[in-house]
Amino acid sequence: MYTDKVMEYFTNPVNVGEIEDADGVGQVGNPVCGDIMKMYIKVKDGKIADIKFKTFGCGAAIATSSMATELVKGKTLEEAKKLDNKQVAEALGGLPGQKMHCSNLAADALKKAIEDYESKQKEVK
Amino acid sequence: MRKVYLDHGATTPVRTEVADLVYKYMTDNFGNPSSVHSFGREAKKGLDHAREQVANLIGAEPKEIFFTSGGTEADNWAIIGTAHAKKDKGKHIITSSIEHHAALDACKYLEKEGFQVTYLPVDADGMVRIEDVKNAITDQTILITIMHVNNEVGTIQPIKEIAALAKEKGITMHTDAVQSVGKIPVNVDDLGVDLLTVSSHKIYGPKGVGCLYIRKGTKISNIHFGGAQERNKRPGTENLPGIVGFGLAAELIGKELKEEQERLTKLRDKLIDGIVERIEHVKINGHRTQRAPHNVNLSIRFIEGEALLLSLDMRGIAASSGSACTSGSLDPSHVLLAMGIPHEIAHGSLRMTLGKANTEEDIDYVLEELPKVVERLRAMSPLYNKKQ
Ligand SMILES: Cc1ncc(COP(=O)(O)O)c(C=O)c1O
Ligand code: FES
């Protein structure tokens, strides 16, 4: 049911974990199935210098979160905000139809983490 | 890599002897049991013999066994056929909220036809309360359908007591015994049921065949039309290879039942106790003792079931889960929810169903691998905090 790529990212996910002194943190719950994802970002010079995630979710949720972090690491915040779930799914060689909703988690958690970072920046100013 | 199949609740491998017989009835004995010639007579003999074998397993008369395309059809038939036959007496049906969808969806269909259905709740162990059944019965009630053993959590329902209530009021009593036949002794007279569903592929027989036991004198309408087979009740040329395979599988499992029941109960308890010992934050789902010998169901907190299944599969262990992520419907198991288990805990449920081929060594292997898998997934989970 899953592509080899999905299984590879599920088996050996990159960027799993937390960042203790993260600049932004975003957590989302999947309204469809109840799964949860949390993203941590570290920002330097307007770019995502480091990113980590934790997922309570299915195989697709774990694989997509891992792939999403890999896709945006080193990118500017503007570029990262544009990441959508289709891109993530494509990078994994596709997802079964009923698993597309899982890939929303990663993009949404990332957006929230960036928003969190940006709102903190405003406070500082 | 070691391969451990722990999904016998989903299906079982066909025994070699059974597969050989199925083959024989596809090739040498291919005749149509309705034909008058020798080919037909040979086929008819096989059909009659299978009917006796299945009847023996559940303490029925051969003429009370009606072959179907499996458990699903038998459940559909029992429920819809009874409703149609007795609709002039009343239009109320009692079932439980933890039935297999083969029964639940038949009830939903009848609701559209104007029948009223009561879906009884269950307690935290997944057990239907006799009091609730009593209170649900009205003078309009025509059918009670409650499964013998639940397929997800293995809880054994008090069918005998419920059937006694039904009998008192002239209500037809059906039980889906797909998960109890061959696992624990099942006798239609002991249980006191009028209708009982059996499926072949859960007892080391072929898929796509099963039967409905219909007690002599029970009113039931046909739901299929077109021929005189199965004493005018279930038309269509018989799936003879499947039926003879089912028959032999029934005979063989009956012979081993007692021994296998004891052996599986030991393995089951070893697995449950071993997991509870080795993994924190685990909840056993279902009744601890009123439980089918082959069923283990637990919720492992802070992780999700599909990720768990994929990880176990990579280690050669085949199991199943009531997690939303595995169901296709995106809702966690209706059975676990009915037992009052919260969504996020139902999400991390793991069902392991044992069978003939499983050994002590298999259990040891699972007890070695499962904790590693759980630890890895918990390390990834935002809900898990080591200090908990
Ligand atoms: C309790 C129960 N009822 C009915 C069925 C359906 O049986 P079958 O697969 O033969 O249609 C199953 C099997 O999944 C079951 O576990
Ligand atoms: S994230 Fe819940 S099913 Fe995939």
Side-chain angles (χ1 to χ4, degrees):
Chain A
M1 123 177 166
Y2 287 134
T3 63
D4 290 347
K5 197 101 195 168
V6 172
M7 286 311 291
E8 186 187 317
Y9 275 79
F10 168 71
T11 316
N12 296 305
V14 292
N15 303 323
V16 181
E18 297 173 18
I19 301 177
E20 296 253 336
D21 57 343
D23 297 321
V25 181
Q27 174 165 332
V28 291
N30 193 325
V32 185
C33 63
D35 290 343
I36 294 166
M37 184 174 314
K38 204 164 178 180
M39 282 253 181
Y40 303 79
I41 54 170
K42 197 87 190 137
V43 181
K44 209 171 168 196
D45 305 331
K47 286 186 179 160
I48 296 186
D50 197 10
I51 179 162
K52 291 240 183 318
F53 76 91
K54 282 204 158 184
T55 298
F56 167 77
C58 68
I62 292 172
T64 50
S65 29
S66 180
M67 177 54 87
T69 57
E70 198 172 83
L71 288 174
V72 300
K73 198 165 173 177
K75 296 272 161 66
T76 65
L77 293 181
E78 291 316 307
E79 286 167 329
K81 274 190 216 166
K82 286 194 201 118
L83 181 81
D84 73 5
N85 66 332
K86 288 209 193 69
Q87 268 168 282
V88 179
E90 260 163 41
L92 286 166
L95 283 173
Q98 86 269 21
K99 288 284 173 182
M100 276 309 286
H101 72 96
C102 314
S103 60
N104 293 331
L105 276 180
D108 292 351
L110 175 66
K111 281 198 188 81
K112 272 215 168 155
I114 296 175
E115 277 166 25
D116 179 48
Y117 165 76
E118 287 175 340
S119 68
K120 279 184 192 153
Q121 291 305 103
K122 277 186 204 131
E123 280 165 30
V124 177
K125 279 173 203 162
Chain B
M1 188 175 53
R2 198 182 182 98
K3 284 258 186 193
V4 182
Y5 183 77
L6 290 176
D7 204 11
H8 292 85
T11 196
T12 57
V14 176
R15 290 177 199 259
T16 323
E17 314 89 292
V18 170
D20 288 346
L21 189 69
V22 170
Y23 183 76
K24 190 171 160 224
Y25 275 82
M26 289 181 148
T27 49
D28 298 345
N29 302 355
F30 65 90
N32 185 327
S34 303
S35 304
V36 290
H37 47 62
S38 65
F39 296 87
R41 291 198 304 274
E42 203 51 47
K44 179 74 166 51
K45 246 196 248 164
L47 180 63
D48 290 344
H49 185 53
R51 205 182 303 282
E52 278 167 28
Q53 288 169 311
V54 173
N56 270 339
L57 181 63
I58 57 171
E61 295 284 325
K63 60 176 185 297
E64 296 172 312
I65 301 297
F66 296 84
F67 291 112
T68 65
S69 64
T72 301
E73 183 192 326
D75 280 354
N76 281 198
W77 184 12
I79 294 167
I80 297 169
T82 302
H84 286 173
K86 295 177 78 176
K87 64 175 184 296
D88 293 336
K89 277 190 78 179
K91 291 195 125 186
H92 179 234
I93 294 165
I94 299 174
T95 187
S96 83
S97 44
I98 62 163
E99 297 301 302
H100 190 272
H101 281 106
L104 282 181
D105 290 355
C107 289
K108 297 235 171 75
Y109 169 77
L110 287 172
E111 281 183 302
K112 284 200 199 115
E113 283 193 356
F115 288 84
Q116 286 91 47
V117 182
T118 301
Y119 300 90
L120 295 176
V122 291
D123 67 16
D125 292 329
M127 191 79 82
V128 171
R129 283 170 291 240
I130 307 286
E131 274 310 301
D132 287 343
V133 180
K134 239 183 234 171
N135 294 334
I137 294 176
T138 71
D139 57 1
Q140 291 294 304
T141 310
I142 49 172
L143 169 70
I144 301 179
T145 172
I146 293 184
M147 69 202 315
H148 194 193
V149 163
N150 178 267
N151 48 307
E152 290 187 36
V153 296
T155 303
I156 304 173
Q157 303 296 335
I159 297 304
K160 193 176 173 149
E161 288 77 3
I162 298 170
L165 286 178
K167 187 162 187 179
E168 232 173 76
K169 311 267 176 178
I171 300 167
T172 300
M173 178 73 203
H174 167 245
T175 193
D176 173 341
V178 168
Q179 295 284 347
S180 60
V181 166
K183 309 296 192 311
I184 56 174
V186 172
N187 180 293
V188 290
D189 289 336
D190 276 355
L191 290 176
V193 295
D194 303 303
L195 304 168
L196 180 141
T197 295
V198 188
S199 175
S200 152
H201 73 104
K202 314 282 183 178
I203 59 168
Y204 309 95
K207 295 171 182 60
V209 58
C211 75
L212 182 63
Y213 155 81
I214 305 179
R215 181 179 295 279
K216 202 169 146 261
T218 306
K219 275 197 170 160
I220 185 164
S221 298
N222 285 14
I223 60 168
H224 291 100
F225 305 93
Q229 291 90 351
E230 299 299 285
R231 307 175 67 229
N232 290 315
K233 285 196 179 309
R234 204 287 191 173
T237 301
E238 299 85 347
N239 167 15
L240 194 65
I243 289 171
V244 295
F246 177 25
L248 182 56
E251 179 181 331
L252 295 175
I253 203 144
K255 284 188 183 147
E256 294 167 2
L257 199 142
K258 271 234 158 66
E259 217 175 291
E260 195 60 4
Q261 186 183 3
E262 266 172 43
R263 193 184 76 89
L264 290 183
T265 303
K266 277 202 196 109
L267 288 186
R268 176 196 75 189
D269 292 342
K270 176 178 164 134
L271 184 54
I272 293 179
D273 296 342
I275 291 172
V276 171
E277 238 168 64
R278 285 169 180 78
I279 306 175
E280 286 184 304
H281 308 295
V282 166
K283 179 187 175 310
I284 307 302
N285 299 319
H287 200 283
R288 194 61 188 78
T289 52
Q290 282 299 96
R291 181 184 201 102
H294 67 299
N295 179 291
V296 174
N297 188 310
L298 30 98
S299 288
I300 302 183
R301 296 206 52 189
F302 315 119
I303 59 179
E304 186 282 317
E306 192 213 59
L308 189 58
L309 293 188
L310 290 174
S311 308
L312 288 172
D313 187 43
M314 288 190 290
R315 291 158 196 253
I317 301 168
S320 74
S321 168
S323 159
C325 306
T326 61
S327 68
S329 77
L330 298 170
D331 285 322
S333 139
H334 67 287
V335 176
L336 298 178
L337 295 183
M339 287 161 61
I341 295 170
H343 255 71
E344 73 274 15
I345 298 181
H347 231 39
S349 82
L350 177 65
R351 180 185 79 163
M352 292 178 278
T353 37
L354 308 169
K356 260 162 58 63
N358 295 134
T359 60
E360 291 255 353
E361 288 73 37
D362 288 345
I363 305 301
D364 291 333
Y365 179 68
V366 174
L367 289 177
E368 203 179 291
E369 296 300 320
L370 182 63
K372 291 187 220 162
V373 166
V374 169
E375 192 179 305
R376 185 181 97 91
L377 292 173
R378 278 186 176 165
M380 269 193 241
S381 169
L383 303 179
Y384 185 60
N385 167 354
K386 279 227 173 64
K387 290 169 281 276
Q388 260 157 339

